[in-house]
Amino acid sequence: MTSPAIRQAAFASLALAFAAPAVQAQVQAPVLHSVLVTATRSPQAARDIVSDTLSISAEEIGRSGAGSITELLQRQRGIEVTRNGGPGTSSSVFLRGSNGNQVIVLVDGVRIASASSGAAAWNAIPLGAVDHIEVVYGPLSTLYGADAIGGVVQVFTKKGQGGMALDASLLAGSYGTRAGTAGIAGSAAAFSYALHAGKERSDGFSATLPGSTSYNADKDGYDRKHANGQLAWQFAPGQEVGAMFLHSGQESDYDSGAKVRAWSTQKLDTVGIYSRNRLNDIWQMTTHAAQSRDKSGSFAATASQIDTKQSLYSWQNDFALGQDSLQLLAEHRQEEVASNTAALVHERSTTSWAASYNMKRGAHLLAAAVRNDDSSQYGSKSTGSLGYGYRITPGLRLNAGYGTSFRAPTFNELYYPGYGLPDNRPEQGRNGEIGIQFDQGGTALGAVVYRNKLTDLLVNTKPCPAPGFPSGCAYNVSKATLEGISLSARQHLGSAFTISASADLQHPQDDGTGKLLVRRANRHGNVALDYTAGSLSAGAEWQVSGYRFDDAANRSRLGGYGLFNLYAAWECAPSWTATLRWNNVGNKHYELARNYGTAGSTAYAGLRYSYK
């Protein structure tokens, strides 16, 4: 799809989104009351946030029957995923056409990403530990620093509130998949607590397809154990201290030729402590210290081990100024890599200062932020953002925004033998967008048009400008444009049915070659119909994607696909819910990456217990 075609579709869609709800806008009060944290680093009503956001609630996760966090995200607007085989293999998540290492991933406010690759270990995040998820689209470097070019995904684990609650679940299904979780959460007096643990195992299927040089006909399964917890103590009104942790350990098989047994290990650990203190009526101070570790190993004909550690310290001050808010932030982050590849053993530190201001004046919303990140490796980078929202009616709002961002070069791009160059610079982004959203009664509509210009892109350049790199090197040579329109709609049909849909028309392009960026489609979308009546809920969904290319030259084409899924949940007794999910009903063959397998028609049955 060409840029003019996207712009024509954008204008038409914005006009339709503007006109359709206007007739209803005087009828009922808006229904949007959810509170989000990620878009401003502090709790804010969703209706007061200018950024383009998405929230996936615990109820939606439970109804979805999704088997992994990437499977859940793949059904959301503006998101594409790629995976090198089954659920236990490495995965990437693309937001609005951006690369996987151009998206920040947080777990309870703690960054998780390998400093060597820049990508988060999505395959190691257990969905059973997740309470809800927030997604913020577009540049957020002014709030979170390096790597927030495409957006931020924050995973919130389960925490305690109210009386004691118990939960447990069992799941079994195709490819010998079985999983179980158990947890307890609650609060007593000034304490709140939560502790959950689980285990998953699957026999899997061959990660590669015949024709691949790595093909092995054996099954490539995985075995994962995880645990997470939170503890908080409110020792005085407005004064709270707490801690949280997440551990996930996984061993999974992959293919490295017919005669070699190959497997990988992945360990993800996060731990954090915080103190949240209300100093007076307008000033709240939050001090946070955290650490995340990503340990990955691969074992075949040779062995490779890369362990990365991030230590993070932040001091955040939030001031309530009438309806407005001011936030002042200081942060320090230390990245370290240990590996049996000696050249990768390095470290760097980044010290950051930021300020943001959110204003409300009648129908007007304004958000402005600035930040400076000073790195011991790549120097000083400054970013800024400005957003504006106008409530045309109580349920109808127009948004516009502009922001700059950057991505720090990974340790692989700097130091990996035969590939990295220590002088590589950060990638830079400049994003502008305009959108309109309507949420009132049983109707929700949204359209966002965006254009993100990227410069100094780090790509594998061959021949390399530097001598001694016969296979090419990582080098700042490319420019890219990520532009498109993201559409969403939801409509309640009576008291039992809800239909929802999203469509993304995009053109993520390498400006130097005019080619599509690898593994990203011009078009993708989702349609779902949900039914709820009494103790029964059921639904059907259709996931579609256009063709993509597996190489930068756009010669290796991955065909488009459509997947039809069915799911149901039945509260068969008080506190007990039975679930059933049938994925890829038509047994569609498709590829998310060239010569890597994907699941055929699969079915899963589960039983959940929840006592409150």
Side-chain angles (χ1 to χ4, degrees):
M1 176 176 285
T2 64
S3 297
I6 285 182
R7 285 193 285 269
Q8 290 172 10
F11 291 139
S13 301
L14 285 173
L16 179 62
F18 184 90
V23 176
Q24 307 176 43
Q26 308 300 323
V27 180
Q28 300 178 12
V31 297
L32 186 59
H33 298 296
S34 58
V35 174
L36 305 179
V37 174
T38 310
T40 57
R41 295 187 62 128
S42 62
Q44 291 279 346
R47 66 188 305 271
D48 294 333
I49 294 174
V50 176
S51 303
D52 184 19
T53 62
L54 172 73
S55 178
I56 310 173
S57 67
E59 292 75 17
E60 290 175 278
I61 295 173
R63 287 197 306 268
S64 73
S68 67
I69 193 166
T70 52
E71 184 182 319
L72 177 70
L73 290 173
Q74 190 177 11
R75 304 172 198 164
Q76 313 304 320
R77 65 178 176 85
I79 298 179
E80 298 173 275
V81 305
T82 182
R83 190 168 55 239
N84 294 344
T89 55
S90 61
S91 307
S92 290
V93 173
F94 305 142
L95 263 64
R96 286 187 179 177
S98 62
N99 200 25
N101 57 15
Q102 294 170 336
V103 175
I104 288 180
V105 183
L106 307 171
V107 175
D108 295 323
V110 182
R111 273 189 185 233
I112 59 159
S114 166
S116 60
S117 68
W122 289 103
N123 58 321
I125 304 176
L127 186 60
V130 177
D131 180 73
H132 66 284
I133 299 172
E134 293 178 5
V135 180
V136 185
Y137 300 89
L140 254 73
S141 286
T142 49
L143 291 180
Y144 295 99
D147 310 331
I149 286 179
V152 174
V153 179
Q154 179 154 208
V155 175
F156 294 87
T157 61
K158 299 172 181 178
K159 65 179 183 178
Q161 53 187 358
M164 186 180 70
L166 303 173
D167 66 85
S169 69
L170 293 172
L171 177 77
S174 300
Y175 301 119
T177 301
R178 54 271 197 203
T181 66
I184 182 172
S187 62
F191 289 92
S192 63
Y193 57 90
L195 181 64
H196 290 81
K199 179 177 172 59
E200 305 169 39
R201 187 178 179 85
S202 177
D203 298 336
F205 50 86
S206 177
T208 55
L209 300 174
S212 168
T213 56
S214 301
Y215 178 65
N216 188 328
D218 68 339
K219 295 180 179 180
D220 297 308
Y222 73 94
D223 191 337
R224 179 193 301 145
K225 302 179 183 69
H226 62 86
N228 64 281
Q230 295 195 26
L231 178 66
W233 175 35
Q234 189 173 11
F235 57 90
Q239 314 298 319
E240 181 179 282
V241 294
M244 68 281 288
F245 80 94
L246 169 72
H247 167 77
S248 177
Q250 174 180 291
E251 182 175 307
S252 56
D253 295 327
Y254 67 97
D255 287 341
S256 184
K259 298 181 179 180
V260 178
R261 192 226 161 181
W263 75 98
S264 66
T265 58
Q266 186 79 54
K267 291 184 179 180
L268 175 64
D269 288 281
T270 68
V271 61
I273 57 173
Y274 69 90
S275 175
R276 187 176 296 120
N277 308 99
R278 181 159 294 282
L279 303 183
N280 54 43
D281 291 342
I282 67 167
W283 183 9
Q284 178 169 285
M285 181 178 70
T286 304
T287 308
H288 187 213
Q291 187 177 97
S292 67
R293 290 177 177 264
D294 181 299
K295 299 182 178 181
S296 61
S298 59
F299 307 91
T302 60
S304 172
Q305 184 72 38
I306 300 177
D307 301 341
T308 69
K309 179 174 72 173
Q310 295 190 65
S311 301
L312 308 103
Y313 309 93
S314 68
W315 181 42
Q316 181 173 315
N317 296 272
D318 293 284
F319 300 90
L321 308 175
Q323 295 189 71
D324 302 347
S325 61
L326 170 67
Q327 183 179 101
L328 301 177
L329 175 72
E331 284 191 323
H332 182 79
R333 181 162 64 108
Q334 182 82 18
E335 300 170 83
E336 303 173 50
V337 175
S339 173
N340 62 352
T341 302
L344 283 177
V345 180
H346 280 272
E347 63 180 57
R348 68 183 174 200
S349 61
T350 306
T351 300
S352 309
W353 304 90
S356 60
Y357 194 88
N358 289 274
M359 184 189 78
K360 290 190 289 185
R361 292 288 187 278
H364 302 272
L365 300 171
L366 183 70
V370 294
R371 180 178 175 119
N372 178 262
D373 294 90
D374 190 10
S375 167
S376 62
Q377 189 273 319
Y378 54 80
S380 178
K381 295 296 296 182
S382 296
T383 52
S385 64
L386 183 65
Y388 173 72
Y390 178 69
R391 291 195 183 98
I392 302 167
T393 70
L396 181 64
R397 196 177 80 189
L398 182 69
N399 301 315
Y402 178 84
T404 59
S405 59
F406 73 101
R407 180 181 78 84
T410 67
F411 281 53
N412 284 353
E413 292 164 334
L414 293 167
Y415 309 117
Y416 198 88
Y419 176 69
L421 290 174
D423 293 332
N424 279 329
R425 304 181 304 276
E427 299 175 344
Q428 300 182 76
R430 293 176 288 114
N431 180 80
E433 62 186 75
I434 184 170
I436 193 164
Q437 64 183 53
F438 173 78
D439 196 323
Q440 193 163 292
T443 303
L445 299 169
V448 179
V449 184
Y450 59 89
R451 193 167 193 259
N452 200 349
K453 295 288 291 183
L454 309 183
T455 56
D456 288 333
L457 244 64
L458 284 158
V459 298
N460 187 13
T461 304
K462 187 177 180 180
C464 180
F469 293 84
S471 299
C473 63
Y475 198 69
N476 298 100
V477 296
S478 282
K479 297 181 180 180
T481 300
L482 313 178
E483 63 179 352
I485 178 169
S486 186
L487 305 169
S488 60
R490 187 186 70 248
Q491 178 67 55
H492 294 298
L493 306 174
S495 59
F497 289 95
T498 300
I499 186 169
S500 57
S502 68
D504 284 272
L505 312 177
Q506 62 180 17
H507 193 68
Q509 173 184 278
D510 184 323
D511 291 344
T513 64
K515 305 295 186 181
L516 281 176
L517 296 178
V518 173
R519 297 180 183 174
R520 274 149 277 191
N522 269 332
R523 301 174 178 88
H524 60 93
N526 297 273
V527 179
L529 178 65
D530 290 287
Y531 170 81
T532 303
S535 60
L536 175 67
S537 62
E541 63 186 9
W542 186 36
Q543 300 171 236
V544 295
S545 175
Y547 66 85
R548 294 136 292 129
F549 292 99
D550 200 60
D551 64 325
N554 286 188
R555 295 191 182 99
S556 180
R557 177 168 166 151
L558 302 171
Y561 61 88
L563 305 178
F564 183 65
N565 309 318
L566 297 171
Y567 48 91
W570 174 45
E571 190 176 344
C572 50
S575 301
W576 292 90
T577 302
T579 61
L580 184 65
R581 182 170 185 86
W582 185 6
N583 288 332
N584 195 2
V585 174
N587 198 30
K588 173 73 174 180
H589 171 74
Y590 65 105
E591 291 179 72
L592 296 174
R594 174 63 70 208
N595 290 327
Y596 285 99
T598 52
S601 182
T602 57
Y604 303 93
L607 186 64
R608 294 200 308 264
Y609 173 78
S610 179
Y611 169 80
K612 294 183 179 181

